[in-house]
Amino acid sequence: MTEPVLCFKDLVVRYPGAPSPTLDGLVLELHPGQTLALVGPSGCGKSTVARAALQLLPEGSQCSGSLSLGGLDPRQLGRAALRRLRGEAVGLVFQDPMTRLNPLLTVGDHLTDTLAAHRPGWRRRALRQRAEDLLQRVGISAERFDNYPHTFSGGMRQRLAIALAMALRPPLVIADEPTTSLDVAVAGQVMAELTQLCREAGSALLLISHDLAMAGRWCDQIAVLDQGRLIEQAPARQLLLEPQAPLSQRLVARAREREAAGAHPPGERQRLLEIEALRCWHPLPSAPWRPRWLKAVDGVSLEVSRGETVGIVGASGCGKSTLCRALMGLTAVRGGAVRLDGIDLRQLRGEALRQARRGLQMVFQDPLACLNPQMTVADAVADPLRIHGLASRPAARQRARELLAAVGLNPPEAFEQRLPRQLSGGQQQRVAIARALILEPRVLLCDESVSMLDAEVQADVLALLRDLQQRLGLGLLFVTHDLSVAGGFCHRVIVLEGGRIVEQGPGAELLRHPQAAITRTLVEACPRLPQPA
């Protein structure tokens, strides 16, 4: 047996001020060429595994037990040696590549700077050639060498992140939720490129993920983490078909429920939101006599009724998020109508528009990014009432408590004085939902609002949205790249391509029998759990 590239034995990690350890006696090994997915519920310690391996823990953290990375204990190294070990022994692929990319450096400079730091003897021409080779290996033309990261799509940025991770052929690659924000087709391409490069270099891959189907598709082994301990590890197919630990059984069951679910159509057909021939065209550089346009949304028409959930799916760049921003008045609209309860919002101005827009609210993908980090939970939820002058401070806080209870944060007194960072991901999303509901909207826009949550929390939030919809008669416009969620949660699914609707129909039926080419591509790329023989 070869020496492991990563080895934990009885590893204990405790963050400053934490009442209990995040990793509690963890035992884990990863050998060259092995692909291992680390899964588990929110707060189980998945991301802490990566931070502990690289010693990127917050100052004041305690880390005890045995830790070996590339045959060395990073805790025993000086700063220069540790920096070299991090760069050459491990390649990192993060969830959001823009957190690693410098907006002031070109794509090529990112690669040549990384190579030059660890290969000081290489000449400029050799650095450039290696950088161009890496770009081409991940599907980026060398012609984009001098472009900046902001000109790349999300999928291309993640490809660049993979090129950076593999630049030095590290024996270990750690990918922390690398496809969460990507549509299924791009996610499949990114994972195929990453695993292929790992095979060619003989690198081990540690994939941190909340998606069991994706873990089973791309990894040989799956390890389940709970409260900082490894509770089960087995070959991927075996664990997904015959999980042994109660938590593993629960996670697999939830994932299967999501794939098998189907939404029943609402009984009432009271139209709440009507979109007619909506166009969002953005001007491109061109001669004045020959204008060119980027047609992000190009003649989209749809309706959302009381108690109905309409799903919007499509590949990256199809216009999903632009549609949401247009409905919220956050991007320019070139033509068409948006009617809420029969009133065309595009014909309103000033205070009349401000009042009408209260009926249309949005729940974003990342709740932590849309909540003020300095505001308590109670203030964040009550703030819209204060902004619109609809309630006094005491009345707004009381209404906030009622909504915190309505979204399952009970007792509300235990949450109202916390800051967003003191909550789990699922709790943060519940706060964001409560904030969106406090103005009593008729329609909620949910833009990838569960994509960052693990399977259990995702199921809880979807159940909460369904319950709120039934109790309040809400219409939901649900944007997602996860087709299994769309098929199980949405009454109807609309497929966008190039800013246009190319197919629509009942969620489960459309995913079972896709007609449009892009729909077939998305369905085929969607990872599924293995089925028993």
Side-chain angles (χ1 to χ4, degrees):
M1 178 69 73
T2 57
E3 286 293 317
V5 293
L6 178 66
C7 181
F8 295 148
K9 291 183 180 177
D10 300 320
L11 191 74
V12 177
V13 173
R14 185 189 298 269
Y15 288 119
S20 58
T22 302
L23 296 182
D24 189 13
L26 179 64
V27 176
L28 183 68
E29 283 190 356
L30 197 57
H31 292 266
Q34 185 179 5
T35 56
L36 173 68
L38 193 61
V39 304
S42 295
C44 69
K46 300 189 297 291
S47 294
T48 301
V49 170
R51 296 191 187 105
L54 295 166
Q55 286 301 286
L56 294 174
L57 301 168
E59 187 175 351
S61 300
Q62 300 174 13
C63 182
S64 61
S66 177
L67 166 58
S68 173
L69 177 63
L72 299 172
D73 186 340
R75 297 169 296 183
Q76 307 301 319
L77 301 179
R79 182 173 298 180
L82 179 57
R83 188 184 305 115
R84 187 165 54 252
L85 180 70
R86 287 171 178 162
E88 298 181 5
V90 184
L92 287 173
V93 182
F94 295 98
Q95 177 176 338
D96 181 2
M98 283 301 280
T99 60
R100 182 182 182 184
L101 302 176
N102 186 332
L104 301 180
L105 290 180
T106 67
V107 167
D109 286 342
H110 276 88
L111 289 163
T112 55
D113 282 6
T114 299
L115 292 165
H118 294 272
R119 302 289 186 265
W122 286 22
R123 295 186 175 181
R124 183 181 297 273
R125 179 174 295 179
L127 294 172
R128 170 103 187 197
Q129 184 60 52
R130 172 64 174 155
E132 289 183 352
D133 289 345
L134 284 165
L135 288 176
Q136 291 173 342
R137 280 294 289 115
V138 296
I140 299 175
S141 169
E143 295 176 357
R144 305 296 301 271
F145 189 91
D146 293 321
N147 291 168
Y148 287 88
H150 74 271
T151 66
F152 277 22
S153 67
M156 291 180 68
R157 289 174 192 157
Q158 200 60 290
R159 287 185 170 95
L160 174 58
I162 291 172
L164 286 165
M166 300 302 300
L168 301 171
R169 298 182 181 274
L172 171 64
V173 175
I174 299 177
D176 190 356
E177 300 282 9
T179 62
T180 296
S181 59
L182 305 178
D183 70 69
V184 289
V186 175
Q189 295 165 7
V190 165
M191 286 304 303
E193 289 160 358
L194 177 58
T195 52
Q196 178 62 28
L197 287 169
C198 285
R199 279 194 295 270
E200 292 175 4
S203 304
L205 173 63
L206 178 62
L207 174 65
I208 297 172
S209 178
H210 65 262
D211 190 328
L212 289 177
M214 189 183 77
R217 180 170 183 173
W218 299 108
C219 292
D220 301 325
Q221 295 263 326
I222 295 179
V224 183
L225 205 62
D226 187 30
Q227 298 181 358
R229 289 180 173 272
L230 188 66
I231 60 170
E232 184 172 1
Q233 182 174 344
R237 183 176 177 83
Q238 177 183 323
L239 188 142
L240 295 176
L241 289 175
E242 299 176 355
Q244 301 301 308
L247 174 62
S248 306
Q249 294 171 351
R250 199 164 68 243
L251 291 174
V252 171
R254 280 294 182 95
R256 290 198 183 282
E257 287 170 9
R258 191 181 69 173
E259 287 188 359
H264 298 291
E268 188 178 354
R269 293 292 296 176
Q270 176 189 349
R271 293 177 185 173
L272 298 179
L273 178 67
E274 298 173 79
I275 302 169
E276 183 179 327
L278 190 68
R279 301 197 309 276
C280 297
W281 293 6
H282 308 305
L284 295 172
S286 61
W289 59 87
R290 187 178 296 173
R292 294 191 305 138
W293 301 90
L294 172 62
K295 299 180 180 180
V297 174
D298 190 22
V300 168
S301 298
L302 61 88
E303 298 174 354
V304 181
S305 298
R306 177 182 172 88
E308 183 183 32
T309 301
V310 177
I312 306 290
V313 303
S316 295
C318 70
K320 302 188 299 291
S321 294
T322 301
L323 176 61
C324 284
R325 290 197 297 270
L327 295 177
M328 293 301 296
L330 300 176
T331 194
V333 173
R334 185 168 175 81
V338 178
R339 287 187 284 271
L340 184 64
D341 285 327
I343 300 173
D344 191 344
L345 300 182
R346 297 198 62 231
Q347 302 302 317
L348 301 179
R349 297 291 183 272
E351 184 61 25
L353 176 60
R354 191 165 177 260
Q355 290 184 17
R357 282 204 179 278
R358 297 206 301 256
L360 192 63
Q361 295 295 312
M362 193 160 177
V363 182
F364 295 90
Q365 176 177 357
D366 185 355
L368 197 58
C370 71
L371 295 173
N372 189 325
Q374 301 301 320
M375 294 180 71
T376 65
V377 164
D379 287 339
V381 174
D383 195 43
L385 287 179
R386 301 287 294 154
I387 290 173
H388 286 270
L390 297 176
S392 64
R393 184 177 295 275
R397 289 183 68 85
Q398 179 57 37
R399 181 59 179 149
R401 292 189 190 100
E402 294 170 1
L403 278 168
L404 289 175
V407 298
L409 294 177
N410 285 304
E413 293 76 17
F415 295 92
E416 63 180 1
Q417 293 305 316
R418 296 190 195 180
L419 295 173
R421 65 175 181 273
Q422 296 172 317
L423 304 176
S424 69
Q427 290 169 341
Q428 291 166 2
Q429 197 60 288
R430 288 171 186 267
V431 172
I433 293 170
R435 178 182 168 89
L437 290 175
I438 201 163
L439 292 177
E440 300 181 356
R442 306 281 278 150
V443 177
L444 275 186
L445 308 182
C446 300
D447 189 5
E448 301 284 7
S449 53
V450 297
S451 65
M452 298 178 66
L453 306 177
D454 69 67
E456 280 201 300
V457 177
Q458 187 178 97
D460 290 341
V461 171
L462 290 175
L464 169 65
L465 286 172
R466 177 69 76 214
D467 177 64
L468 291 168
Q469 181 180 52
Q470 292 171 349
R471 284 194 282 128
L472 303 176
L474 292 169
L476 297 181
L477 192 63
F478 195 86
V479 175
T480 181
H481 64 258
D482 191 328
L483 294 183
S484 59
V485 170
F489 183 67
C490 301
H491 302 107
R492 288 188 295 124
V493 173
I494 290 173
V495 183
L496 289 184
E497 184 179 26
R500 291 177 171 270
I501 295 175
V502 296
E503 186 171 1
Q504 59 182 306
E509 179 65 22
L510 184 144
L511 298 180
R512 280 195 296 267
H513 304 291
Q515 302 299 314
I518 184 61
T519 313
R520 292 195 296 271
T521 298
L522 293 172
V523 171
E524 290 166 3
C526 186
R528 301 277 180 170
L529 294 175
Q531 299 300 315

